[in-house]
Amino acid sequence: MLTVLAALAGSLVVSLESSNRDAHAAVAARTLEELRAALLRFRRDTGYLPGQGPFAVDPAEQNGVRPHAPAGSVPGVFADDAEWQLWFANPANLIVLIQPPRSPGSSAPVSAYDWELVGPAAQLATWDPTRKRGWNGPYLRPDLAEWVHVGAGFLADGSTLPTDGALLPVLPAIASSHAVPPPALGDDTLRWQSSAQSTTTLDVIHGRPLYLFSAGRARIVDSGPDGVYAPWVVSTTDLIAPPTDPSTDDVGRFVE
């Protein structure tokens, strides 16, 4: 009798674990679809996806994102313009969906995390109801975003890892529902904090950021239950998603 009960208890535990995995997978898939829908709305309003066309950093400041944090921003957040550019273009950074471009001549307090469009791109900074074109967000609820540290070597083509390179200042991201243990003590890469101004990190079980890769065929990726991103590089003609590497549990979606 005890053997039977033990077997039943074991099967119940396995069943509950399987149900939890299925529930997390369902929520993760829904979150990816919500992010994909937000990106499609952004493209409908502006004609482009984040990181593409006039929403890419333009070092020449002729038509695109101004390549540095705005003058007068909080000092000490970014080491130089190059670091700000890496921060803005990081695949985990969803600030373009959450926060509007700063309007030229705005009297609002300046933030180090502001971004601005220059040249012809500046006409997309605000919504034009006549042309039905321009930034008309937020496309994601700002209160759903948290702030996370990611490496400066993480690139928009998906070829590198979010842990590569020196640690960038925190950036706004959306977490996967697949919760994983925090990084090891002393390593803040992929560690979260509740706000940009917070001085303490969240040392808790937490999802990894969702990633938007704008190079090649635009795609979003959830690094899955193990929380480990496997590099996934595609061309504009690739049709296969998610990644074909059988060793990864990542889930990917193309942004059509």
Side-chain angles (χ1 to χ4, degrees):
M1 183 65 174
L2 289 175
T3 302
V4 173
L5 289 175
L8 288 173
S11 65
L12 179 60
V13 169
V14 171
S15 177
L16 288 173
E17 289 178 346
S18 177
S19 296
N20 285 336
R21 284 196 300 270
D22 291 345
H24 283 300
V27 173
R30 186 164 64 248
T31 304
L32 271 183
E33 286 305 316
E34 289 172 353
L35 176 55
R36 179 175 173 273
L39 289 163
L40 291 176
R41 290 194 301 272
F42 182 92
R43 186 175 66 182
R44 178 197 64 200
D45 290 345
T46 67
Y48 301 88
L49 290 171
Q52 297 181 348
F55 294 96
V57 171
D58 178 17
E61 299 195 48
Q62 294 180 345
N63 182 32
V65 176
R66 192 181 294 278
H68 53 76
S73 62
V74 180
V77 175
F78 297 100
D80 49 33
D81 288 351
E83 185 178 57
W84 188 89
Q85 293 169 27
L86 290 169
W87 175 88
F88 183 85
N90 193 283
N93 192 342
L94 298 180
I95 198 164
V96 176
L97 298 178
I98 296 168
Q99 180 176 301
R102 184 176 178 85
S103 299
S106 172
S107 60
V110 179
S111 164
Y113 305 103
D114 286 345
W115 60 289
E116 186 178 349
L117 296 170
V118 294
Q123 65 184 314
L124 296 172
T126 56
W127 177 248
D128 182 339
T130 302
R131 297 173 57 246
K132 297 189 183 303
R133 186 66 84 197
W135 200 95
N136 195 29
Y139 297 88
L140 292 170
R141 283 173 45 192
D143 60 305
L144 294 180
E146 296 174 285
W147 294 73
V148 66
H149 289 282
V150 183
F154 194 30
L155 303 178
D157 65 358
S159 65
T160 56
L161 299 175
T163 53
D164 287 347
L167 204 64
L168 288 172
V170 287
L171 51 83
I174 300 294
S176 165
S177 67
H178 291 297
V180 295
L185 289 176
D187 179 9
D188 282 339
T189 310
L190 296 178
R191 197 181 297 274
W192 296 82
Q193 59 190 55
S194 57
S195 72
Q197 292 75 33
S198 176
T199 57
T200 58
T201 54
L202 300 176
D203 192 16
V204 294
I205 302 293
H206 204 294
R208 294 289 191 245
L210 300 182
Y211 305 123
L212 165 63
F213 299 106
S214 56
R217 193 173 177 196
R219 58 214 182 274
I220 48 178
V221 175
D222 182 322
S223 51
D226 67 1
V228 178
Y229 167 71
W232 179 29
V233 180
V234 302
S235 71
T236 55
T237 58
D238 281 327
L239 299 175
I240 299 174
T244 55
D245 182 350
S247 67
T248 181
D249 59 8
D250 294 1
V251 177
R253 295 283 189 276
F254 286 127
V255 183
E256 300 298 337

